[in-house]
Amino acid sequence: MNKTALLGYPNIGKTTLFNSLTNSYEYVGNWSGVTVEKKVGNLHNNSGKLIDLPGMYDLAPLSKDEEVVMNFFLNEKFNSVLNIIDANHLSTNLHLTIQALEFGKPVIVGLNMVDVAKRNGFTINDSLLSKRLGVTSVPTIARTGEGCSELLNEIACAGESQAFELDYGVEIESLISQITKIIGVKSGHNKRWLSIQFLLNNNMVISYLEGLGIKNELKAALGNKSFNGEIVKKREEYINSLIEEVVTFSEEGKVEWPAKVDALVTHRIFGLPIFLFIMYLVFQATFTWIGAPLSDIVDGFIGGTFTELTEKVLSAIGASTLLHDLVVNGIIAGVGGVLVFVPQIFILFLFISFLEDSGYMSRIAVVMDRFMDVFGLNGKSFIPMIISFGCNVPGIMAARSIEQKKDRLITILTAPFMSCSARLPVYVLFAGAFFSSNQGTIVFSLYVLGIVLALIVTKILSLTILKDEKSIFIVELPQYNLPHAKTLFRSTWEKGKNFIHKAGTIIFAGSIGIWLISYFGMSGANVEMNDSFLAAIGGFFAPIFSPLGFGTWQATAALITGFLAKEVVVSSMAIIYAVSDDTLGAEMIKIFTPASAYAFMVFILLYIPCLATVAVIYRETKSKMWTIISMAYPLVVAYVIAFIINKVGQFFF
Amino acid sequence: MASGIITALILGYAGYAFYKSVKKKSQGKCGSCSSGDSCNSAKTCD
């Protein structure tokens, strides 16, 4: 089976191309560090497999995700390399192309974002570029899929590689010859490439060569010299001469507005307020202006027509009381109680996808870099945090792109404070019931609270147990894009369908589990809810939550189920309170006060991460101690903050 | 009879869905990984 590796700088559209070239759909984001693991997809024309590798600037790895690429090059078999280059940044991107060419496999170059390059005044002679590099280069526009069929053909036809040898000067060439001889037949890789990477102090190549048992010979050949500077300089000279030949630049038609917009949205003082204002508008639109009426329609359908129809069907088949209660009070109440919020979740994801794809979110990382520096982290940590708004699991995985161990650990520990979509149904339920005219503002405040607390914890950890050296954040700002409708809707659907999938699995199972332990009690089946096993379990822990304003067995039981998956909290409540014709929100008003309702939402935001998040924290930290800490400290923080809110809130609400 | 079979099927599916979800979650995979789809926010599924 033909295998092609997809290689390139971060955030230049590799994954968008991967999705166009294969039958897969992987998450894309207009910022760097989205891909942290390799992904395999089958090419559309059945010519083989395409392996999407994390973006990297150089084959010498600095972070964990970059190690994935080097590990792939050293240890896996593949036939060719599809190197994606940003047509706007040829001078930097070609450094990686040279390394791919030196590796010795056939290289196909995808010259991406040629449309943006044209807008910026660049014209690239791609046929001359192909000739000079000895490769095939194909102009592409990943967002629209332009050039993809040509790329597929080129991948299918990739033949033998042409030898690419850059002259690094007498001294380095002599060393390359010596190292090549020392390696001899011990490695199947291109010896010249290995030698150059060795001279560049690529740690993974050094370890690989040491593994061949030639450590001492290599040390004797190289001594203590480093040739990094000379090699990079030679490459720069080559690239500059190449660009002079193949690129023409004209000021005519160059677009000026992106620079002006950047100056404003990344402004030292105005950048953050602009971001907060945009997010405020997003939340208002999602929860107050558009989402709430749509949710009411779904609610009306599930609670009305659908339930009536189901009851008729159950009567027609002569369903037993047990089956009737299981379906109506268990499945419809539990799963339906969560599905009601699907419109709001989709609308929120649509807005977030728009901001991501437009290039704005990368600017926020720059704005946050300055801000986060005060708290002991940098902007790179903010990207996993933003990803965590979708789901904490991939957010924690995205921390792999952070080079500093200390920064990575702090990011992993604080990412669960970012409010994932699973918590949204709880907010919408309570905000709708208690703060109906300010739903958007209330939900927005919870997201902001999560960020603020994450920053405070970060500061405490950086000053105490996780003191370390500072690291810097370098990011290449992507071009602004008007998001393509197809990409936007696909991205929204991919984010949102996870929620619907959960409704059919874990929420369904959780609802039935909750219903079962609420249907049975010590005295048998079909007991009063207050005499059920669920009431007994919830009642046992309930006094702990009394100081927070929600010390009822119902709220406690819902919190316990939330460890499995946060969505199940609302399902549990829907089942527990489905005892009258009132809506769930109306039931909540009888049990909670506005202060205790807000305290409950804050507790849901902050308390123990869900099972999947805890497992991924253990997988990423490989430490039982940090995993236990990641579960214990949010519980303490949640308890303290919810207590304060309940007590102080009583004076305001 | 029909009620009994339907109840058993529902409970059986719920048990299976619960087992499958908890197994995947305890491996640190989110919901979309469990369904074999792409992840909703980044690439995390093995």
Side-chain angles (χ1 to χ4, degrees):
Chain A
M1 175 67 81
N2 186 38
K3 273 187 176 179
T4 303
L6 186 57
L7 181 76
Y9 269 33
N11 197 34
I12 54 164
K14 289 187 302 302
T15 304
T16 307
L17 273 171
F18 176 83
N19 289 336
S20 299
L21 296 171
T22 65
N23 48 17
S24 310
Y25 182 82
E26 296 300 340
Y27 174 74
V28 289
N30 196 358
W31 54 42
S32 54
V34 169
T35 309
V36 291
E37 286 186 335
K38 69 175 164 56
K39 286 280 142 189
V40 184
N42 291 316
L43 288 162
H44 278 311
N45 57 356
N46 295 322
S47 59
K49 288 186 183 295
L50 186 64
I51 296 104
D52 185 17
L53 298 168
M56 70 186 315
Y57 297 100
D58 192 283
L59 284 183
L62 290 173
S63 56
K64 280 192 160 196
D65 55 333
E66 292 179 348
E67 284 177 11
V68 172
V69 183
M70 203 54 209
N71 194 36
F72 179 83
F73 269 67
L74 286 170
N75 301 315
E76 296 200 32
K77 285 184 178 168
F78 58 99
N79 306 83
S80 55
V81 177
L82 174 57
N83 176 216
I84 306 302
I85 295 178
D86 179 354
N88 297 277
H89 299 104
L90 275 187
S91 58
T92 48
N93 281 229
L94 284 169
H95 278 273
L96 190 60
T97 308
I98 289 174
Q99 294 177 65
L101 287 165
E102 285 172 341
F103 186 73
K105 296 276 184 196
V107 174
I108 301 136
V109 168
L111 200 56
N112 197 29
M113 293 192 254
V114 283
D115 54 335
V116 183
K118 203 173 174 185
R119 284 209 300 272
N120 287 335
F122 297 109
T123 308
I124 299 160
N125 184 339
D126 57 279
S127 54
L128 186 58
L129 181 72
S130 303
K131 200 175 166 190
R132 291 280 274 112
L133 289 174
V135 299
T136 306
S137 78
V138 179
T140 59
I141 305 170
R143 286 193 311 126
T144 61
E146 203 174 309
C148 286
S149 53
E150 289 87 342
L151 273 181
L152 279 170
N153 291 337
E154 292 303 332
I155 292 168
C157 304
E160 291 297 307
S161 60
Q162 290 191 25
F164 179 91
E165 287 193 10
L166 198 60
D167 184 356
Y168 288 107
V170 181
E171 188 182 9
I172 293 173
E173 285 298 333
S174 153
L175 279 166
I176 291 172
S177 299
Q178 279 185 60
I179 298 166
T180 303
K181 275 180 198 161
I182 294 168
I183 297 169
V185 291
K186 288 177 181 163
S187 170
H189 289 300
N190 185 313
K191 294 172 195 64
R192 183 177 169 82
W193 175 79
L194 283 174
S195 307
I196 295 165
Q197 291 295 324
F198 178 77
L199 292 172
L200 283 165
N201 290 326
N202 182 329
N203 283 330
M204 287 189 75
V205 168
I206 292 171
S207 302
Y208 170 81
L209 292 175
E210 285 175 358
L212 300 177
I214 50 176
K215 187 179 174 182
N216 293 334
E217 292 100 307
L218 289 171
K219 211 174 174 184
L222 187 63
N224 292 321
K225 287 183 183 173
S226 170
F227 295 91
N228 218 320
E230 283 93 328
I231 291 173
V232 172
K233 196 179 162 194
K234 284 284 176 193
R235 285 177 180 169
E236 271 173 5
E237 285 171 7
Y238 172 78
I239 290 167
N240 289 339
S241 71
L242 183 65
I243 287 175
E244 266 182 37
E245 276 185 67
V246 302
V247 181
T248 48
F249 178 69
S250 161
E251 285 282 350
E252 202 181 323
K254 191 183 170 193
V255 185
E256 300 286 348
W257 66 262
K260 288 177 184 168
V261 173
D262 273 348
L264 185 67
V265 297
T266 62
H267 192 272
R268 186 172 286 272
I269 297 164
F270 302 125
L272 193 60
I274 289 172
F275 170 61
L276 291 174
F277 180 66
I278 289 172
M279 292 314 289
Y280 173 75
L281 288 181
V282 165
F283 281 93
Q284 280 294 101
T286 304
F287 299 106
T288 308
W289 301 332
I290 312 170
L294 286 175
S295 280
D296 287 344
I297 294 169
V298 179
D299 192 18
F301 172 72
I302 294 174
T305 317
F306 185 72
T307 307
E308 284 165 19
L309 194 69
T310 310
E311 284 185 327
K312 277 182 188 167
V313 172
L314 289 169
S315 301
I317 62 166
S320 63
T321 316
L322 177 77
L323 178 61
H324 182 275
D325 280 3
L326 172 65
V327 173
V328 177
N329 298 332
I331 299 170
I332 296 180
V335 179
V338 176
L339 283 180
V340 164
F341 305 105
V342 164
Q344 276 143 315
I345 286 164
F346 269 86
I347 292 165
L348 182 64
F349 284 149
L350 180 70
F351 283 119
I352 289 178
S353 298
F354 184 90
L355 292 175
E356 281 175 10
D357 206 31
S358 66
Y360 178 66
M361 282 300 194
S362 287
R363 271 79 186 171
I364 293 311
V366 174
V367 173
M368 290 305 287
D369 181 45
R370 286 194 289 267
F371 190 63
M372 289 180 81
D373 188 50
V374 178
F375 293 90
L377 279 182
N378 64 42
K380 206 162 195 177
S381 297
F382 193 63
I383 290 168
M385 289 183 178
I386 294 175
I387 292 174
S388 294
F389 287 139
C391 173
N392 290 169
V393 171
I396 286 164
M397 296 283 290
R400 284 184 181 186
S401 64
I402 300 167
E403 295 92 355
Q404 300 294 328
K405 212 173 173 181
K406 160 234 159 188
D407 289 1
R408 195 161 61 240
L409 185 56
I410 292 179
T411 307
I412 288 171
L413 291 174
T414 52
F417 280 168
M418 301 300 113
S419 191
C420 67
S421 60
R423 290 169 236 196
L424 268 176
V426 183
Y427 306 158
V428 182
L429 171 68
F430 280 83
F434 292 91
F435 312 96
S436 57
S437 53
N438 296 302
Q439 286 186 58
T441 313
I442 290 294
V443 180
F444 176 66
S445 73
L446 290 163
Y447 276 72
V448 173
L449 180 69
I451 298 173
V452 170
L453 285 171
L455 292 174
I456 293 170
V457 171
T458 297
K459 185 70 180 174
I460 294 168
L461 289 172
S462 345
L463 287 175
T464 53
I465 46 178
L466 285 170
K467 269 197 237 177
D468 203 352
E469 74 275 27
K470 280 198 166 189
S471 57
I472 53 161
F473 173 52
I474 301 167
V475 65
E476 217 165 83
L477 289 181
Q479 301 288 333
Y480 283 108
N481 288 322
L482 182 64
H484 205 254
K486 193 180 156 192
T487 315
L488 200 59
F489 286 110
R490 194 167 182 185
S491 169
T492 305
W493 169 245
E494 289 297 327
K495 284 176 178 136
K497 79 172 182 187
N498 178 27
F499 201 85
I500 295 172
H501 174 258
K502 279 189 191 171
T505 54
I506 189 70
I507 297 171
F508 180 87
S511 298
I512 287 179
I514 295 294
W515 178 83
L516 277 174
I517 51 173
S518 69
Y519 191 79
F520 292 94
M522 290 300 281
S523 53
N526 203 6
V527 296
E528 280 291 314
M529 189 70 84
N530 285 332
D531 299 324
S532 66
F533 288 126
L534 184 63
I537 297 166
F540 182 77
F541 294 103
I544 301 170
F545 300 104
S546 288
L548 313 186
F550 43 88
T552 61
W553 71 259
Q554 293 93 334
T556 308
L559 285 172
I560 294 168
T561 60
F563 175 64
L564 200 60
K566 296 282 194 283
E567 297 93 335
V568 185
V569 172
V570 167
S571 298
S572 306
M573 289 192 145
I575 292 164
I576 293 166
Y577 289 110
V579 289
S580 73
D581 292 327
D582 290 342
T583 63
L584 186 55
E587 281 296 321
M588 295 296 107
I589 292 172
K590 296 175 192 165
I591 316 290
F592 290 82
T593 64
S596 66
Y598 193 72
F600 187 75
M601 287 190 275
V602 169
F603 196 82
I604 291 286
L605 163 72
L606 303 172
Y607 87 124
I608 302 177
C610 70
L611 176 61
T613 307
V614 170
V616 84
I617 289 173
Y618 179 65
R619 205 169 73 186
E620 292 299 298
T621 60
K622 293 181 180 70
S623 158
K624 281 180 186 160
M625 182 190 79
W626 285 117
T627 309
I628 292 167
I629 289 173
S630 76
M631 292 168 74
Y633 95 87
L635 197 57
V636 175
V637 172
Y639 196 91
V640 172
I641 302 287
F643 176 80
I644 294 168
I645 286 171
N646 183 45
K647 295 296 171 199
V648 175
Q650 285 167 6
F651 297 107
F652 294 96
F653 300 121
Chain B
M1 180 65 178
S3 284
I5 293 169
I6 296 169
T7 307
L9 284 173
I10 292 172
L11 293 179
Y13 172 71
Y16 167 75
F18 182 80
Y19 165 77
K20 202 180 162 195
S21 297
V22 170
K23 191 182 168 196
K24 291 282 180 187
K25 278 174 181 285
S26 59
Q27 290 167 353
K29 292 176 180 180
C30 58
S32 40
C33 295
S34 314
S35 64
D37 293 333
S38 64
C39 207
N40 70 337
S41 292
K43 296 167 183 184
T44 60
C45 315
D46 295 324

